Amino acid sequence: MTQQRQADLILSGSYLLPASCQNAVIKNGAIAITHDQISAVGTTEQILADYSSARHIHTDHGLIMPGLVNTHTHAAMSCFRGLADDLPLMTWLEEHIFPVEAHLTPEMVYQSTLLSLAEMIKSGTTSFCDMYLFSKEVAKATEHSGMRAWIGEVLYDFPSPCYGELENGFSYLADLYAHYKDHSLISITSDPHAVYTCSPELLTRLGTVAQDNDSLYVIHLSENEAELNTCRERYGCTPVEHLERLGLLTPKTLAAHCVMINDKEIEVLSRRGTSVSHCQESNMKLASGTAPVVKMLQAGVKVGIGTDGAASNNDVDMFGEMNTVAKSHKVARMDPTAMNAEETLHASTLGGARTLNAGEQIGSLEVGKKADMIVLNMDQPHLTPLYNIPSHLVYAARGADVIHSVIGGRLVMENRRLLTLDEGRILAQMREMGQEISRYGKD
Amino acid sequence: MTQQRQADLILSGSYLLPASCQNAVIKNGAIAITHDQISAVGTTEQILADYSSARHIHTDHGLIMPGLVNTHTHAAMSCFRGLADDLPLMTWLEEHIFPVEAHLTPEMVYQSTLLSLAEMIKSGTTSFCDMYLFSKEVAKATEHSGMRAWIGEVLYDFPSPCYGELENGFSYLADLYAHYKDHSLISITSDPHAVYTCSPELLTRLGTVAQDNDSLYVIHLSENEAELNTCRERYGCTPVEHLERLGLLTPKTLAAHCVMINDKEIEVLSRRGTSVSHCQESNMKLASGTAPVVKMLQAGVKVGIGTDGAASNNDVDMFGEMNTVAKSHKVARMDPTAMNAEETLHASTLGGARTLNAGEQIGSLEVGKKADMIVLNMDQPHLTPLYNIPSHLVYAARGADVIHSVIGGRLVMENRRLLTLDEGRILAQMREMGQEISRYGKD
């Protein structure tokens, strides 16, 4: 008998799904974690023979799977969840969101981000890509939670509630890049808001910043008809064409939404290696449309799934999002085979990781990858019987089924109890903040 | 001080929502229940001053609201959940569902119904309308659970795995009507499967049975294009026109789906007082289309929401269904104001009750109505802050947030523990049955 190797943590359960295919399922599977990495994946019998570890968490009827990757959100917008719904976009923004955003403070962003972090961990997300104001606070809260994230400060032509004049935005962003250089969990991104709120000069200058820092360039792109029309009027081309002309469609560009794009534009995105974050629930709720995701995938475009912010969803639950995505494209194309369970799960795990240029690090359970994973309790009525795991994950599971979460080798939730965040305190503070925000809305 | 009246059960919580409107919310609300009825609704202070009771359940951050009404399901199909997905309708039916349905036994239907009952209670549904085979077993399981239900045996022109030749179907149905006459929770319905599987004679004869028993007439109607085309070829008219010509559209007719209907047909349904059960998730998953529900509501058609069976959804969670319904009609109409939260919640409570001709008994929390209600735990990240309760219920809440359930005055779930059903035993039996069904699929 060979000598046992030492791991920091072993997880085992009735099922282990290393990637998004049913035929990859390991029954009675286990995973050994050393520091922040996966050191072995196999049957529980194998792993326990090969490894000893300080901690072993076994879950009967448990499913171990990669943590979900939320490729587009505004975590701090959780403070606006349900503040105003069912309204035309401009009424919603101008009469409800902008007036309260004018009152935003760094502390509000910090607290509201903590709320979304709690919700994300409790619903199975282990990494996310965030764009918002006061993003130093977003990053600080995220560090506190132990989540993995890509975080950017949104820049646009007009003054920001965070940094004031645009020029200050660039130094704010430079601080972020400097502070999180080589951070193990947090990466900084360059985030122009959109083509209709950023001049070509701003778009280009941020492109250079992204390139200089070897980072992602994240932008809202072709979200709805209004954006398309504005861009056409102003520049005589579509938003995708506009970025293409400016040389800003690269393999490091992550475009959120891409609802209003045609076959030719899909071809351009594919050729440039540009990624798309598909935010179906938000696009439905704001009546923007349904992005042609099936065509994008057929053309080889990298597509991830995002919840968008809680103000337009109204949650950040990737399980709910997967369910909606898989069903929406079937009815949009009148084809029940469109966006099947495995494709949808892939877009929420490894596919999503690839849109963040992180497919080598996360998104599947493989030796040498970062140890980002979740465990679901499959011993429940809505998950019984169990014929096909991807099917259940996409069509029947929900966030509340996640019981444990490990990010970068660190246990951040055990038996639904958050270990890095004080949930009770966060909820109490957000209830108070909600009362304050209600008053702003009535100013 | 007047003398206190006696109730059997008092529920109290931070919020009480008697109907589907935010302006009806009672803060620190309570409800007194005597036998199977609601005896009082008010503030906790009022209720505790007026009533003493054997049992008082208080929930901090709890929301007391009407139980959800699932107007169309096939509870026993839970045994096929995830057995086959992402397939064209005919492949799914002919290669996967029919071969296993041929092996159905009364015991399988009984056990599978128990599973759906457990899932429905645990996700906030207190009453449902069911159409399936071996419906004596469905009714027996339902009686066991304490749920309220409208149950019918599906009849069609060909022999049934349950009753064999059609004529036996009528005696099977007569038995059901006799057995459940005046039952406090279970009502029997007359259920022709659809216009393409039932001759005009069968449709008409079942109409007479429904009328003789003063019961609902439940049918799948205009679910997809294939049904529409078949009906046109066979009868030279649409399914709605076909029932209209046969005189079968009445205020006691509940038509499930109605995806493929035009303005003129909506007008006919409205004039006849016929109800519609809207099953959006199933219609999406099978790529049938999106029913014109906004137009139906505008025309005054009674519309309820249904999950359909777990084989085509793949759950029976009405919270998930509400979320999908509210968002789907916004994007289908490109109008963010379509199907707002209060309208969607109404269709899942009182609106749904009215489609079952039970609006006087259930669907809202009013004195004299049946005591069917649920309590949600609002002290959770995804439900914080709380500006508007209907918004949270439709856009952010999910089945797992329901902690208590009372049906007909009886506590059937407390702190998510089922009191009428043995959940562990049901899950173990369904896992075994799942293995058996997997083998049938491979025959």
Side-chain angles (χ1 to χ4, degrees), chain A residues 43-76:
Chain A
T43 63
T44 304
E45 202 180 0
Q46 285 171 339
I47 298 293
L48 293 183
D50 294 349
Y51 286 85
S52 66
S53 83
R55 186 86 200 275
H56 175 192
I57 301 175
H58 176 73
T59 311
D60 252 346
H61 304 291
L63 163 68
I64 304 167
M65 63 172 282
L68 302 177
V69 181
N70 184 347
T71 58
H72 186 65
T73 191
H74 312 287

Side-chain angles (χ1 to χ4, degrees), chain B residues 42-267:
Chain B
T43 63
T44 304
E45 201 180 2
Q46 285 172 339
I47 298 293
L48 294 183
D50 294 350
Y51 285 84
S52 65
S53 82
R55 185 87 199 274
H56 174 192
I57 301 176
H58 175 72
T59 310
D60 252 346
H61 303 291
L63 163 67
I64 304 166
M65 62 174 282
L68 301 177
V69 181
N70 185 346
T71 58
H72 185 65
T73 191
H74 312 286
M77 292 187 86
S78 63
C79 62
F80 306 136
R81 184 201 313 276
L83 177 65
D85 300 288
D86 308 317
L87 295 169
L89 183 64
M90 292 323 287
T91 313
W92 178 69
L93 273 176
E94 291 177 0
E95 295 179 22
H96 299 272
I97 299 301
F98 290 162
V100 291
E101 275 190 343
H103 292 272
L104 268 187
T105 64
E107 180 63 16
M108 285 169 76
V109 169
Y110 179 75
Q111 291 297 337
S112 305
T113 302
L114 287 178
L115 180 69
S116 271
L117 294 164
E119 190 191 344
M120 283 195 276
I121 295 173
K122 291 194 89 173
S123 55
T125 294
T126 53
S127 53
F128 64 100
C129 182
D130 195 87
M131 173 201 282
Y132 203 56
L133 303 159
F134 297 102
S135 51
K136 288 180 185 174
E137 304 300 318
V138 176
K140 200 171 75 179
T142 304
E143 266 197 287
H144 189 64
S145 73
M147 283 192 80
R148 188 180 307 281
W150 282 257
I151 294 170
E153 177 71 17
V154 67
L155 266 65
Y156 32 57
D157 293 334
F158 36 95
S160 150
C162 168
Y163 54 75
E165 293 305 312
L166 180 55
E167 203 51 42
N168 303 331
F170 285 95
S171 49
Y172 190 94
L173 183 55
D175 289 351
L176 274 167
Y177 275 115
H179 190 83
Y180 290 97
K181 196 171 173 334
D182 304 321
H183 193 281
S184 62
L185 293 167
I186 295 176
S187 308
I188 302 302
T189 61
S190 286
D191 298 9
H193 176 262
V195 300
Y196 60 98
T197 45
C198 298
S199 68
E201 294 68 36
L202 175 52
L203 292 173
T204 304
R205 187 169 164 196
L206 273 173
T208 308
V209 175
Q211 207 175 1
D212 291 349
N213 289 278
D214 192 26
S215 77
L216 290 181
Y217 181 82
V218 184
I219 185 169
H220 297 116
L221 195 68
S222 267
E223 180 172 355
N224 57 30
E225 207 182 356
E227 173 177 346
L228 187 64
N229 292 340
T230 304
C231 190
R232 280 197 173 129
E233 278 165 31
R234 213 175 285 172
Y235 305 111
C237 63
T238 70
V240 170
E241 288 164 351
H242 187 53
L243 287 196
E244 169 71 351
R245 289 180 192 174
L246 294 169
L248 292 167
L249 294 177
T250 80
K252 292 235 158 179
T253 301
L254 172 57
H257 304 298
C258 292
V259 172
M260 293 286 159
I261 66 170
N262 60 32
D263 294 0
K264 212 181 104 197
E265 292 171 295
I266 290 172
E267 212 279 306

Side-chain angles (χ1 to χ4, degrees), chain B residues 11 17 19 28 81 146 155 169 177 222 277 304 368 377 382 396 415:
Chain B
L11 296 183
L17 185 72
N28 298 315
R81 184 201 313 276
L155 266 65
Y177 275 115
S222 267
S277 174
N377 170 22
H382 63 283
N415 290 315

